Amino acid sequence: MSSDVRFTDFKSDKQPTWCPGCGDFGTMNGMMKALAETGNDPDNTFVVAGIGCSGKIGTYMHSYALHGVHGRALPVGTGVKMARPDLEVMVAGGDGDGYSIGAGHFVHAVRRNVDMSYVVMDNRIYGLTKGQASPTSRSDFETSTTPEGPKQPPVNPLALALASGASFIAQSFSSDALRHQEIIQEAIEHDGFGFVNVFSPCVTFNDVDTYDYFRDNLVDLQEEDHDPNDYEAAKKVILDSEKEYQGVMYQNEDSVPYHEQHGVTEDMSEIPDGAPDDAMDLVREFY
Amino acid sequence: MAEDLNWAIGGEAGDGIDSTGKIFAQALSRAGRHVFTSKDFASRIRGGYTAYKIRTSVDRVQSVVDRLDILVALTQRTIDENLDELHEGSAIIYDGERSWEAEIPDEMTAVDVPLKSLAEDAGGAIMRNVVALGAACKITGFDVEYLDEALEKRFGGKGSKIVENNKEAARLGQEYVEEHYDLEHLGYNVDVTDNDYVLLNGNEAIGMGAIAAGCRFYAGYPITPATSIMEYLTGRIEDYGGHVVQAEDELSAINMALGAARSGARSMTATSGAGIDLMTETFGLVATSETPLVITDVQRSGPSTGMPTKQEQGDLNMALYGGHGEVPRFMITPTSIDECFWKTIEAFNLAEKYQTPVFLVSDLAMSVTEQTFEPETFDMDAVEIDRGKLVDEDEVDEWLDSQGRFRAHAVTEDGVSPRAIPGTTDGAHMSTGLEHDELGRRTEEEDERVQQVDKRYRKVETAQNDEDWDYREFGDEDADNLVISWGSNEGALVEALEYLEEDGIDVRVISVPYIFPRPDLTEEIEAADDTIVVECNATGQFADVIEHDVLTRVKRINKYTGVRFKADELAAQITERLSEEVPA
């Protein structure tokens, strides 16, 4: 692990094809800076990306990475972390990838408390397929597939995480660069599943959940004297439907990550040249 | 051929049928006898008919037959279900004190033993099946000492009192028969030998093969009949630094296994039925990202929920062609329980050498059958590990482009690229299910697209040329009649040869463990007057593949009742097919 890693080392030479002004630029910058700041380097970092605009992040960053099947990034990350507890694992996706097709995996990754960070670029819209409602779209949000709005309440990913037994729940805003980076850093440093929902506005298809909207309405928990170790206080802000918050809502200080709970410490990539020394014991079991 | 004995216990699910049968199988194995078991069961926890059958001989047995000598019947349905297999010399052990009136055909020997009362005398009604085992020992002249050993193995962990009570229950059953019946006329004789055999089923062999091959990560979702692979690995793989995750569904399971594989671990998932459907979504990603992954499918009766506890070989097309687009892959199929072990090891080597998915396709019949083997069959010293083109940080340098970027999908002559696992300095790269260039970056350039598709298929060609894809052969090599099969039908076919020989019919049997790549059977088929392809499905999926290969029509024997082939039945069907015209 080299100590002079700069955040640009996490950048690939591929120019992003995101729309100018896309929130994902800021989200990614914060991720790269947070990774460098926490002492990681590209050769020891594994980024798993979902499908959608957010999923392109694997191409624009430089590290070991997998860009996989829609909605399944968290299971891939789980497999990576179990096989290689020594790696820094970061999973990135969008609201569609994470809370719609991947919602089942989200609940269970949270429950397992796998030691990785999960960054969801939440723009409350399907961007890459050109503007359909997403699971976090408002119930009256008009799109090509929901002309009168979805007429169903949006998913509250923070509440879903809390109800699933999350050990770290946070929310950030891609445009508030420093705070966003700090929050991602805390998620990386957390021993367990570090979940961050990032407001990452879509400037092309969403004219409601805009930069201005978040600037005007976002309340930073740092200014609210919020104690993230207080579960009841966390529940209160997470279930507060009147306001949008930024910051770490909840952190369980006693969190023990999955691989530690299960005593998984070894690098599974290293195996002997033949069967293990005592493998005949396995045969003898069948006498 | 030595005389074999066919024994069974049947009752309702929840009656402890399975564990009782396993104890008796273990006792026979301890006595140096060969054992081959089969199960009739339904997808339920309690109620419904279920049976555990054992065929045993001092010679190797590898098939079931249509014959039942000793039946422990806990219900009338057990007798009714097995009437076809019972014969005049059969003995039926039942408990006349229970509320049902056993209807046993006159010509058979009814052995009425108060199983429940005797079990209570020994310490608890729960041991009534063990009383029946003691009774069976007496009827067959099988030394109860071996049963004691099996009881110790089964109940040793529960304390000596439980073991002693069970031994007592067996004694009471034995003594009761001795006092009340004279069964000399049945003439059963269960010889013992000094041989030491191990007794295991196909799923255990796959699990053991995985650990031997260095598999360290397994993710799966419970589904009949694949679950026992996960259960075998749980609690064992940890001793070797590995771990099993029970995922939330099969979509997750295969993706977890993929993540572990990309990180450099040998990793596997196993499923069946609808589970393999769900995993189809990820086949293309595994192939395109060039990830070494073993995907095990223990086939069961489909389609849809089908018959979850019944035998079928209906997933050949699924494993061979499943997934949208064109997905290069290997498909290998163990043909016997010991081969489940060796083929699993081979699957891991192929996966890493060619950085591609390998489908290891087994079937329910193998997964639930316990069979005896000499321990040397699983010689761990003979296990070879080939990790293919794994590169370390020194070797990575050879594969960097002019800008120092690792060419993870470098176009090579053999189609296999260097593989750098995370942590390797300067090897960082992205892999993706998108079509990509050598660096793993998305591309839609025509040239690059063609290069990468060709490269992935070239790996398969390389393997086709470099690896041994031979078939297994039995019977008369020069016979005019050729019978081809895949999967677990091999054992029944080998035994069918004996019946055919008695009838003066010469047959050459070819058992194919490789579906893709596969041996070219053109010469063999051309040399034969008659070719029959035997499989447990309705449409003849393998026969279709062979006809496509050799451009000639073959005869087919298909069984899709949900029950595996039996040797005698197969011999009769082969004889019948040989007399028929080849389909136009």
Side-chain angles (χ1 to χ4, degrees), chain A residues 13 43 67 112 269 285, chain B residues 236 248 387 405 423 441:
Chain A
D13 54 0
D43 289 329
H67 171 251
R112 285 187 193 100
S269 69
E285 257 187 72
Chain B
R236 285 185 184 83
E248 56 273 26
R387 306 211 61 187
R405 299 171 302 188
R441 304 186 315 176

Side-chain angles (χ1 to χ4, degrees), chain A residues 256-280:
Chain A
V256 181
Y258 182 97
H259 69 277
E260 283 180 25
Q261 286 195 51
H262 291 269
V264 175
T265 53
E266 291 185 39
D267 173 343
M268 292 185 191
S269 69
E270 292 174 7
I271 55 168
D273 294 336
D277 285 343
D278 46 1
M280 265 331 264

Side-chain angles (χ1 to χ4, degrees), chain B residues 86-307:
Chain B
L86 292 162
H87 54 91
E88 285 184 18
S90 299
I92 298 171
I93 300 168
Y94 70 104
D95 186 347
E97 285 185 0
R98 293 190 61 220
S99 56
W100 57 286
E101 196 70 41
E103 294 168 30
I104 296 173
D106 291 341
E107 63 273 19
M108 293 170 202
T109 303
V111 184
D112 180 355
V113 182
L115 303 174
K116 189 161 171 267
S117 311
L118 292 174
E120 281 164 349
D121 295 346
I126 196 166
M127 296 182 293
R128 65 178 189 170
N129 294 355
V130 180
V131 176
L133 290 181
C137 285
K138 183 64 207 167
I139 296 169
T140 55
F142 180 54
D143 192 340
V144 77
E145 298 283 334
Y146 297 107
L147 180 57
D148 288 349
E149 282 184 38
L151 290 169
E152 280 166 17
K153 184 179 163 93
R154 175 74 176 75
F155 297 112
K158 299 189 174 182
S160 58
K161 188 165 180 0
I162 303 250
V163 173
E164 288 315 309
N165 287 354
N166 274 282
K167 287 183 182 176
E168 176 63 13
R171 289 288 175 291
L172 293 175
Q174 190 188 21
E175 285 164 10
Y176 188 90
V177 173
E178 201 160 7
E179 285 166 25
H180 296 82
Y181 290 93
D182 176 18
L183 299 166
E184 287 297 311
H185 67 280
L186 289 175
Y188 287 115
N189 177 24
V190 181
D191 293 331
V192 301
T193 76
D194 291 336
N195 298 325
D196 280 329
Y197 295 129
V198 287
L199 180 74
L200 66 162
N201 65 39
N203 278 2
E204 289 167 332
I206 288 173
M208 185 165 72
I211 294 178
C215 175
R216 294 292 173 266
F217 183 81
Y218 179 97
Y221 186 79
I223 187 164
T224 302
T227 315
S228 54
I229 297 175
M230 180 157 60
E231 288 173 330
Y232 173 86
L233 290 171
T234 304
R236 285 185 184 83
I237 204 169
E238 292 86 347
D239 296 343
Y240 301 89
H243 185 68
V244 172
V245 178
Q246 183 179 321
E248 56 273 26
D249 53 40
E250 290 87 351
L251 306 159
S252 180
I254 188 171
N255 278 282
M256 283 183 186
L258 168 84
R262 283 230 66 81
S263 317
R266 284 195 158 192
S267 112
M268 175 167 91
T269 183
T271 185
S272 179
I276 200 78
D277 288 349
L278 291 180
M279 289 185 184
T280 311
E281 173 194 61
T282 303
F283 293 175
L285 173 64
V286 180
T288 314
S289 63
E290 304 201 71
T291 304
L293 187 64
V294 177
I295 302 162
T296 300
D297 176 26
V298 187
Q299 301 167 99
R300 68 186 219 190
S301 257
S304 190
T305 318
M307 302 193 288

Side-chain angles (χ1 to χ4, degrees), chain B residues 485-561:
Chain B
S485 129
W486 65 289
S488 68
N489 316 317
E490 181 185 282
L493 267 175
V494 171
E495 293 200 354
L497 285 170
E498 294 176 30
Y499 293 94
L500 291 161
E501 206 175 319
E502 281 171 23
D503 296 341
I505 301 170
D506 290 338
V507 172
R508 177 187 193 183
V509 168
I510 286 179
S511 168
V512 184
Y514 303 106
I515 308 294
F516 194 80
R518 58 184 166 267
D520 179 357
L521 297 174
T522 312
E523 277 182 30
E524 291 78 353
I525 289 172
E526 281 174 357
D529 292 344
D530 244 335
T531 299
I532 305 171
V533 178
V534 172
E535 51 196 315
C536 281
N537 56 43
T539 58
Q541 295 177 32
F542 192 45
D544 288 345
V545 165
I546 287 175
E547 285 185 352
H548 172 271
D549 279 357
V550 302
L551 299 176
T552 178
R553 296 300 301 270
V554 295
K555 295 177 177 178
R556 301 169 183 224
I557 293 177
N558 299 97
K559 189 174 184 184
Y560 43 97
T561 60

Side-chain angles (χ1 to χ4, degrees), chain B residues 200-215 229 266-269 293-297 330-352 356-363 366 373 377-380 382-386 467-474 485-488 490 511-519:
Chain B
L200 66 162
N201 65 39
N203 278 2
E204 289 167 332
I206 288 173
M208 185 165 72
I211 294 178
C215 175
I229 297 175
R266 284 195 158 192
S267 112
M268 175 167 91
T269 183
L293 187 64
V294 177
I295 302 162
T296 300
D297 176 26
F330 295 146
M331 177 181 173
I332 68 182
T333 63
T335 53
S336 59
I337 287 165
D338 50 327
E339 276 294 293
C340 284
F341 174 80
W342 292 108
K343 283 286 167 288
T344 301
I345 294 164
E346 205 174 321
F348 279 101
N349 285 335
L350 287 169
E352 280 205 305
T356 201
V358 177
F359 288 86
L360 179 71
V361 180
S362 166
D363 55 46
M366 269 189 289
F373 295 94
T377 311
F378 308 99
D379 177 10
M380 292 289 180
V383 173
E384 291 175 6
I385 305 288
D386 187 340
E467 308 286 338
D468 180 12
W469 305 101
D470 218 355
Y471 50 77
R472 293 152 67 87
E473 185 167 8
F474 306 91
S485 129
W486 65 289
S488 68
E490 181 185 282
S511 168
V512 184
Y514 303 106
I515 308 294
F516 194 80
R518 58 184 166 267

Side-chain angles (χ1 to χ4, degrees), chain B residues 49-87:
Chain B
Y49 161 74
T50 180
Y52 187 105
K53 296 181 176 178
I54 297 175
R55 182 172 167 220
T56 174
S57 167
V58 290
D59 294 335
R60 187 167 181 217
V61 276
Q62 46 190 336
S63 162
V64 286
V65 288
D66 269 324
R67 183 185 167 93
L68 204 45
D69 304 311
I70 313 283
L71 174 64
V72 179
L74 302 183
T75 56
Q76 181 59 42
R77 188 171 166 193
T78 304
I79 299 170
D80 300 341
E81 288 274 352
N82 291 287
L83 276 179
D84 291 350
E85 297 186 2
L86 292 162
H87 54 91

